[in-house]
Amino acid sequence: MKKKLIFTILCCVCAALPAAAQTAAPEGMVLVPAGKFWMGRAFSIFLDSGDLLARDKMDDRPANNIKLDACYLEK
């Protein structure tokens, strides 16, 4: 009987931990949810091939599928 009670209490505590870990966003911050997105671009512009843009303007190629963890970002 005592083992069942301890096991039940342990299960309840383990079930409540994720809910306790979820807190409100800090003031002035917003939550960016986890997920995937495409970063960069997969096309080129005529100006790129004409070497009319600075090289640092072309660092957004090729496009990559990025997985982002959830984080907070200032508004």
Side-chain angles (χ1 to χ4, degrees), residues 3-63:
K3 288 182 181 181
K4 286 184 181 181
L5 179 63
I6 292 173
F7 181 73
T8 303
I9 292 172
L10 183 62
C11 287
C12 291
V13 168
C14 290
L17 284 178
Q22 295 176 356
T23 59
E27 188 173 331
M29 305 284 274
V30 293
L31 176 66
V32 177
K36 289 186 175 183
F37 72 99
W38 284 98
M39 184 173 79
R41 60 187 170 126
F43 58 89
S44 63
I45 299 175
F46 176 74
L47 295 174
D48 292 347
S49 61
D51 205 23
L52 299 174
L53 284 176
R55 184 72 190 147
D56 63 343
K57 301 286 185 189
M58 296 190 291
D59 287 342
D60 58 350
R61 283 187 281 151

